[in-house]
Amino acid sequence: MIEAVNLTKRFGEAKALNEMNCKIEEGSIYGLVGSNGSGKSTLLRVIAGVYYPDSGEIIVDHMRTFDNPALKAKIFFLADTPYFIHQSNLLEMAHFYQLMYPSFNRARFEELIEIFPLDRKAKISHMSKGMQRQAALILALSTMPKYLLLDEAFDGLDPVMRQVLKALLCDGVAEQNLTAIIASHNLRELEDLCDHIGLIHKGKMLLNGELDQLKQNLHKVQLAFALNPDLSVLSSLNILKTKRTGSLIELIVRGEEQDTLSFLRKLNPLFVESIPLSLEEIFIYELEANGYDYNSILK
């Protein structure tokens, strides 16, 4: 398990992580989402032991990762811009990682080269962006990590390779109890893949938990009345956003769906219905509730 406790990381006067608290369970595929500059990549680097916290701590398997080579050997961090030794090919990079990771599995490496059809002797620097991403994923998965940290994992991959990566990650969870943490702006990809989600804003964790539970706790409700009521009658609900178009009222409400609908039905509306939200909609509404107004950016 990974646990952040009052985790803070500064760069100059700016706090990339601001007393963050969260838990990430083993054997999960965890999607890390947030606005630009929210702290996603910084969190991954602190977990991997690349950065040392200014205060608080990050605990992985009851240990700190910084200055802990044995623990770092169980963690693979793949940055948004993968690193390769200058002028190296896949075989040379595989040899390098064999020296760095005791768990490196050569048979797995050979299997993955068949799945991602790359020339093992071609210089990686001559490959396209998507092929370089595939090369990095081959190497990462070949180390057989317990914790795989991916920053923009799908960037540059074509649709077929995206599906292949999803299948490999799911197989890793089922067969190796792999824990994968994926920081991405591609919310549609994460919604299809992840069972847990963390939403970061300004270095703090706003939401952290099972995706299905997060969806159950936030709803879009549409209703209409014969006569438009004073919206103060809705004050007992935890409403993030209200929109009125003629007689139609649209609410974004936090809370149990059935409790919300039961309350609204007592007001005798002409109709009331709850509409499921996508992960992207949850992301937008939660950020709006915390002062991130994307509408002002579009004006």
Side-chain angles (χ1 to χ4, degrees), residues 211-223:
L211 178 56
D212 288 344
Q213 184 60 44
L214 295 178
K215 285 186 173 183
Q216 290 172 14
N217 197 47
L218 193 66
H219 316 282
K220 179 188 292 184
V221 179
Q222 292 184 337
L223 66 162

Side-chain angles (χ1 to χ4, degrees), residues 118-293:
L118 299 179
D119 182 351
R120 67 189 68 197
K121 294 183 179 180
K123 293 188 185 299
I124 298 174
S125 60
H126 294 172
M127 296 180 181
S128 68
K129 179 180 178 180
M131 294 172 70
Q132 289 185 13
R133 175 65 63 176
Q134 291 178 46
L137 289 167
I138 289 171
L139 296 165
L141 293 167
S142 296
T143 65
M144 307 295 285
K146 182 176 181 180
Y147 297 100
L148 179 59
L149 316 180
L150 302 173
D151 200 351
E152 296 297 343
F154 301 101
D155 190 27
L157 297 181
D158 64 43
V160 172
M161 289 297 103
R162 289 176 185 225
Q163 294 303 316
V164 168
L165 175 57
K166 290 178 185 179
L168 289 170
L169 291 175
C170 291
D171 289 346
V173 171
E175 297 170 9
Q176 305 164 220
N177 199 35
L178 170 72
T179 301
I181 306 176
I182 307 171
S184 179
H185 288 107
N186 194 327
L187 302 185
R188 188 69 188 87
E189 297 281 7
L190 295 184
E191 189 168 12
D192 289 343
L193 178 63
C194 298
D195 46 36
H196 289 71
I197 291 288
L199 171 58
I200 300 180
H201 182 56
K202 294 184 178 179
K204 288 183 175 291
M205 190 69 74
L206 299 184
L207 294 173
N208 180 50
E210 293 185 19
L211 178 56
D212 288 344
Q213 184 60 44
L214 295 178
K215 285 186 173 183
Q216 290 172 14
N217 197 47
L218 193 66
H219 316 282
K220 179 188 292 184
V221 179
Q222 292 184 337
L223 66 162
F225 296 89
L227 297 173
N228 284 338
D230 184 340
L231 293 182
S232 63
V233 299
L234 307 176
S235 60
S236 62
L237 296 177
N238 188 354
I239 299 174
L240 273 64
K241 187 173 183 178
T242 303
K243 180 182 178 182
R244 177 180 261 168
T245 307
S247 61
L248 180 68
I249 300 172
E250 183 176 280
L251 307 173
I252 305 300
V253 186
R254 183 181 285 123
E256 289 293 330
E257 180 181 24
Q258 290 308 314
D259 291 345
T260 299
L261 293 177
S262 178
F263 172 84
L264 292 172
R265 286 178 181 130
K266 292 177 182 178
L267 302 177
N268 298 314
L270 295 175
F271 81 91
V272 59
E273 63 176 348
S274 178
I275 302 171
L277 292 172
S278 68
L279 178 58
E280 183 172 351
E281 288 175 312
I282 292 172
F283 173 84
I284 290 171
Y285 292 131
E286 289 288 355
L287 288 187
E288 281 186 340
N290 285 272
Y292 191 89
D293 185 4

Side-chain angles (χ1 to χ4, degrees), residues 32-44 152 183-185 200:
L32 195 58
V33 302
S35 52
N36 291 327
S38 60
K40 300 186 300 296
S41 297
T42 300
L43 178 59
L44 293 183
E152 296 297 343
S184 179
H185 288 107
I200 300 180

